[in-house]
PDB file of all heavy atoms in Angstrom:
ATOM      1  N   GLU A   3      89.713  87.495  71.852  1.00 91.00           N
ATOM      2  CA  GLU A   3      90.228  88.754  71.317  1.00 91.00           C
ATOM      3  C   GLU A   3      90.723  89.642  72.455  1.00 91.00           C
ATOM      4  O   GLU A   3      90.328  89.458  73.610  1.00 91.00           O
ATOM      5  CB  GLU A   3      89.138  89.483  70.535  1.00 91.00           C
ATOM      6  CG  GLU A   3      88.671  88.732  69.308  1.00 91.00           C
ATOM      7  CD  GLU A   3      87.610  89.496  68.523  1.00 91.00           C
ATOM      8  OE1 GLU A   3      87.149  90.552  69.008  1.00 91.00           O
ATOM      9  OE2 GLU A   3      87.266  89.039  67.438  1.00 91.00           O
ATOM     10  N   VAL A   4      91.550  90.618  72.117  1.00 94.00           N
ATOM     11  CA  VAL A   4      92.048  91.573  73.107  1.00 94.00           C
ATOM     12  C   VAL A   4      90.881  92.243  73.824  1.00 94.00           C
ATOM     13  O   VAL A   4      90.916  92.440  75.045  1.00 94.00           O
ATOM     14  CB  VAL A   4      92.957  92.628  72.438  1.00 94.00           C
ATOM     15  CG1 VAL A   4      93.317  93.733  73.410  1.00 94.00           C
ATOM     16  CG2 VAL A   4      94.218  91.977  71.892  1.00 94.00           C
ATOM     17  N   ALA A   5      89.827  92.574  73.088  1.00 94.00           N
ATOM     18  CA  ALA A   5      88.660  93.219  73.695  1.00 94.00           C
ATOM     19  C   ALA A   5      88.052  92.344  74.784  1.00 94.00           C
ATOM     20  O   ALA A   5      87.602  92.860  75.817  1.00 94.00           O
ATOM     21  CB  ALA A   5      87.616  93.535  72.630  1.00 94.00           C
ATOM     22  N   ASP A   6      88.025  91.040  74.584  1.00 94.00           N
ATOM     23  CA  ASP A   6      87.485  90.126  75.598  1.00 94.00           C
ATOM     24  C   ASP A   6      88.317  90.203  76.881  1.00 94.00           C
ATOM     25  O   ASP A   6      87.763  90.229  77.989  1.00 94.00           O
ATOM     26  CB  ASP A   6      87.482  88.685  75.079  1.00 94.00           C
ATOM     27  CG  ASP A   6      86.620  88.506  73.851  1.00 94.00           C
ATOM     28  OD1 ASP A   6      85.532  89.109  73.786  1.00 94.00           O
ATOM     29  OD2 ASP A   6      87.034  87.752  72.947  1.00 94.00           O
ATOM     30  N   ILE A   7      89.622  90.245  76.738  1.00 96.00           N
ATOM     31  CA  ILE A   7      90.516  90.331  77.895  1.00 96.00           C
ATOM     32  C   ILE A   7      90.328  91.671  78.604  1.00 96.00           C
ATOM     33  O   ILE A   7      90.229  91.729  79.834  1.00 96.00           O
ATOM     34  CB  ILE A   7      91.977  90.131  77.458  1.00 96.00           C
ATOM     35  CG1 ILE A   7      92.157  88.720  76.902  1.00 96.00           C
ATOM     36  CG2 ILE A   7      92.938  90.386  78.621  1.00 96.00           C
ATOM     37  CD1 ILE A   7      93.446  88.491  76.161  1.00 96.00           C
ATOM     38  N   PHE A   8      90.239  92.749  77.833  1.00 96.00           N
ATOM     39  CA  PHE A   8      90.025  94.069  78.419  1.00 96.00           C
ATOM     40  C   PHE A   8      88.705  94.133  79.166  1.00 96.00           C
ATOM     41  O   PHE A   8      88.613  94.711  80.246  1.00 96.00           O
ATOM     42  CB  PHE A   8      90.043  95.152  77.341  1.00 96.00           C
ATOM     43  CG  PHE A   8      91.422  95.607  76.926  1.00 96.00           C
ATOM     44  CD1 PHE A   8      92.567  94.932  77.318  1.00 96.00           C
ATOM     45  CD2 PHE A   8      91.573  96.724  76.133  1.00 96.00           C
ATOM     46  CE1 PHE A   8      93.823  95.346  76.925  1.00 96.00           C
ATOM     47  CE2 PHE A   8      92.829  97.162  75.731  1.00 96.00           C
ATOM     48  CZ  PHE A   8      93.961  96.471  76.133  1.00 96.00           C
ATOM     49  N   ARG A   9      87.650  93.539  78.595  1.00 95.00           N
ATOM     50  CA  ARG A   9      86.334  93.589  79.245  1.00 95.00           C
ATOM     51  C   ARG A   9      86.342  92.846  80.579  1.00 95.00           C
ATOM     52  O   ARG A   9      85.725  93.280  81.551  1.00 95.00           O
ATOM     53  CB  ARG A   9      85.274  92.981  78.331  1.00 95.00           C
ATOM     54  CG  ARG A   9      84.896  93.877  77.185  1.00 95.00           C
ATOM     55  CD  ARG A   9      83.785  93.267  76.331  1.00 95.00           C
ATOM     56  NE  ARG A   9      83.806  93.857  74.999  1.00 95.00           N
ATOM     57  CZ  ARG A   9      84.069  93.210  73.879  1.00 95.00           C
ATOM     58  NH1 ARG A   9      84.284  91.911  73.893  1.00 95.00           N
ATOM     59  NH2 ARG A   9      84.090  93.840  72.729  1.00 95.00           N
ATOM     60  N   VAL A  10      87.040  91.728  80.624  1.00 96.00           N
ATOM     61  CA  VAL A  10      87.056  90.909  81.844  1.00 96.00           C
ATOM     62  C   VAL A  10      88.014  91.471  82.890  1.00 96.00           C
ATOM     63  O   VAL A  10      87.666  91.596  84.062  1.00 96.00           O
ATOM     64  CB  VAL A  10      87.430  89.441  81.506  1.00 96.00           C
ATOM     65  CG1 VAL A  10      87.627  88.625  82.767  1.00 96.00           C
ATOM     66  CG2 VAL A  10      86.366  88.810  80.624  1.00 96.00           C
ATOM     67  N   HIS A  11      89.224  91.806  82.467  1.00 97.00           N
ATOM     68  CA  HIS A  11      90.273  92.162  83.419  1.00 97.00           C
ATOM     69  C   HIS A  11      90.592  93.661  83.466  1.00 97.00           C
ATOM     70  O   HIS A  11      91.303  94.097  84.374  1.00 97.00           O
ATOM     71  CB  HIS A  11      91.555  91.387  83.090  1.00 97.00           C
ATOM     72  CG  HIS A  11      91.378  89.909  83.130  1.00 97.00           C
ATOM     73  ND1 HIS A  11      91.203  89.212  84.305  1.00 97.00           N
ATOM     74  CD2 HIS A  11      91.310  88.995  82.133  1.00 97.00           C
ATOM     75  CE1 HIS A  11      91.047  87.932  84.037  1.00 97.00           C
ATOM     76  NE2 HIS A  11      91.107  87.774  82.722  1.00 97.00           N
ATOM     77  N   GLY A  12      90.079  94.429  82.518  1.00 96.00           N
ATOM     78  CA  GLY A  12      90.404  95.851  82.444  1.00 96.00           C
ATOM     79  C   GLY A  12      90.085  96.662  83.676  1.00 96.00           C
ATOM     80  O   GLY A  12      90.940  97.417  84.156  1.00 96.00           O
ATOM     81  N   PRO A  13      88.856  96.538  84.222  1.00 95.00           N
ATOM     82  CA  PRO A  13      88.526  97.370  85.394  1.00 95.00           C
ATOM     83  C   PRO A  13      89.490  97.166  86.570  1.00 95.00           C
ATOM     84  O   PRO A  13      89.954  98.151  87.162  1.00 95.00           O
ATOM     85  CB  PRO A  13      87.105  96.922  85.755  1.00 95.00           C
ATOM     86  CG  PRO A  13      86.529  96.472  84.441  1.00 95.00           C
ATOM     87  CD  PRO A  13      87.686  95.804  83.729  1.00 95.00           C
ATOM     88  N   ALA A  14      89.822  95.928  86.886  1.00 96.00           N
ATOM     89  CA  ALA A  14      90.742  95.666  87.997  1.00 96.00           C
ATOM     90  C   ALA A  14      92.152  96.137  87.659  1.00 96.00           C
ATOM     91  O   ALA A  14      92.852  96.704  88.510  1.00 96.00           O
ATOM     92  CB  ALA A  14      90.745  94.176  88.330  1.00 96.00           C
ATOM     93  N   ARG A  16      93.056  98.567  85.620  1.00 95.00           N
ATOM     94  CA  ARG A  16      93.138 100.032  85.626  1.00 95.00           C
ATOM     95  C   ARG A  16      93.305 100.589  87.041  1.00 95.00           C
ATOM     96  O   ARG A  16      93.826 101.688  87.222  1.00 95.00           O
ATOM     97  CB  ARG A  16      91.908 100.643  84.961  1.00 95.00           C
ATOM     98  CG  ARG A  16      91.959 100.569  83.447  1.00 95.00           C
ATOM     99  CD  ARG A  16      90.860 101.391  82.814  1.00 95.00           C
ATOM    100  NE  ARG A  16      89.542 100.825  82.988  1.00 95.00           N
ATOM    101  CZ  ARG A  16      88.979  99.942  82.157  1.00 95.00           C
ATOM    102  NH1 ARG A  16      89.625  99.524  81.096  1.00 95.00           N
ATOM    103  NH2 ARG A  16      87.770  99.486  82.390  1.00 95.00           N
ATOM    104  N   MET A  29      91.658 102.100  75.368  1.00 96.00           N
ATOM    105  CA  MET A  29      91.186 100.892  76.038  1.00 96.00           C
ATOM    106  C   MET A  29      89.661 100.826  76.037  1.00 96.00           C
ATOM    107  O   MET A  29      89.071  99.780  75.782  1.00 96.00           O
ATOM    108  CB  MET A  29      91.730 100.857  77.466  1.00 96.00           C
ATOM    109  CG  MET A  29      91.654  99.530  78.135  1.00 96.00           C
ATOM    110  SD  MET A  29      92.614  99.579  79.662  1.00 96.00           S
ATOM    111  CE  MET A  29      92.331  97.927  80.211  1.00 96.00           C
ATOM    112  N   ALA A  31      87.622 102.275  73.863  1.00 94.00           N
ATOM    113  CA  ALA A  31      87.168 102.032  72.491  1.00 94.00           C
ATOM    114  C   ALA A  31      87.278 100.548  72.144  1.00 94.00           C
ATOM    115  O   ALA A  31      86.375  99.976  71.526  1.00 94.00           O
ATOM    116  CB  ALA A  31      87.981 102.868  71.511  1.00 94.00           C
ATOM    117  N   ILE A  32      88.366  99.923  72.555  1.00 94.00           N
ATOM    118  CA  ILE A  32      88.545  98.486  72.285  1.00 94.00           C
ATOM    119  C   ILE A  32      87.496  97.675  73.032  1.00 94.00           C
ATOM    120  O   ILE A  32      86.923  96.734  72.491  1.00 94.00           O
ATOM    121  CB  ILE A  32      89.975  98.044  72.659  1.00 94.00           C
ATOM    122  CG1 ILE A  32      90.983  98.676  71.692  1.00 94.00           C
ATOM    123  CG2 ILE A  32      90.093  96.522  72.649  1.00 94.00           C
ATOM    124  CD1 ILE A  32      92.433  98.493  72.086  1.00 94.00           C
ATOM    125  N   GLU A  33      87.212  98.043  74.273  1.00 94.00           N
ATOM    126  CA  GLU A  33      86.211  97.319  75.064  1.00 94.00           C
ATOM    127  C   GLU A  33      84.814  97.427  74.451  1.00 94.00           C
ATOM    128  O   GLU A  33      84.016  96.498  74.547  1.00 94.00           O
ATOM    129  CB  GLU A  33      86.185  97.841  76.498  1.00 94.00           C
ATOM    130  CG  GLU A  33      87.403  97.465  77.302  1.00 94.00           C
ATOM    131  CD  GLU A  33      87.489  98.175  78.641  1.00 94.00           C
ATOM    132  OE1 GLU A  33      86.902  99.260  78.807  1.00 94.00           O
ATOM    133  OE2 GLU A  33      88.145  97.619  79.524  1.00 94.00           O
ATOM    134  N   GLN A  34      84.502  98.560  73.823  1.00 93.00           N
ATOM    135  CA  GLN A  34      83.178  98.763  73.244  1.00 93.00           C
ATOM    136  C   GLN A  34      83.035  98.192  71.841  1.00 93.00           C
ATOM    137  O   GLN A  34      81.917  98.063  71.328  1.00 93.00           O
ATOM    138  CB  GLN A  34      82.856 100.259  73.210  1.00 93.00           C
ATOM    139  CG  GLN A  34      82.678 100.852  74.584  1.00 93.00           C
ATOM    140  CD  GLN A  34      82.377 102.330  74.514  1.00 93.00           C
ATOM    141  OE1 GLN A  34      81.821 102.816  73.555  1.00 93.00           O
ATOM    142  NE2 GLN A  34      82.755 103.052  75.550  1.00 93.00           N
ATOM    143  N   CYS A  35      84.141  97.834  71.233  1.00 89.00           N
ATOM    144  CA  CYS A  35      84.128  97.336  69.857  1.00 89.00           C
ATOM    145  C   CYS A  35      83.256  96.091  69.725  1.00 89.00           C
ATOM    146  O   CYS A  35      83.338  95.175  70.539  1.00 89.00           O
ATOM    147  CB  CYS A  35      85.564  97.023  69.430  1.00 89.00           C
ATOM    148  SG  CYS A  35      85.752  96.731  67.682  1.00 89.00           S
ATOM    149  N   ARG A  36      82.405  96.084  68.727  1.00 89.00           N
ATOM    150  CA  ARG A  36      81.477  94.988  68.433  1.00 89.00           C
ATOM    151  C   ARG A  36      80.577  94.641  69.622  1.00 89.00           C
ATOM    152  O   ARG A  36      80.377  93.469  69.954  1.00 89.00           O
ATOM    153  CB  ARG A  36      82.231  93.757  67.923  1.00 89.00           C
ATOM    154  CG  ARG A  36      82.730  93.949  66.520  1.00 89.00           C
ATOM    155  CD  ARG A  36      83.199  92.662  65.911  1.00 89.00           C
ATOM    156  NE  ARG A  36      84.381  92.135  66.540  1.00 89.00           N
ATOM    157  CZ  ARG A  36      85.607  92.219  66.043  1.00 89.00           C
ATOM    158  NH1 ARG A  36      85.803  92.769  64.897  1.00 89.00           N
ATOM    159  NH2 ARG A  36      86.619  91.704  66.686  1.00 89.00           N
ATOM    160  N   THR A  37      80.049  95.702  70.261  1.00 90.00           N
ATOM    161  CA  THR A  37      79.065  95.534  71.327  1.00 90.00           C
ATOM    162  C   THR A  37      77.864  96.421  71.013  1.00 90.00           C
ATOM    163  O   THR A  37      77.921  97.274  70.131  1.00 90.00           O
ATOM    164  CB  THR A  37      79.630  95.933  72.707  1.00 90.00           C
ATOM    165  OG1 THR A  37      79.865  97.337  72.721  1.00 90.00           O
ATOM    166  CG2 THR A  37      80.895  95.170  73.050  1.00 90.00           C
TER     167      THR A  37
END
Side-chain angles (χ1 to χ4, degrees):
E3 296 182 353
V4 172
D6 299 321
I7 296 167
F8 278 11
R9 285 183 202 115
V10 173
H11 301 289
R16 283 190 289 272
M29 196 169 180
I32 292 171
E33 289 170 336
Q34 292 179 28
C35 192
R36 287 192 293 258
T37 67

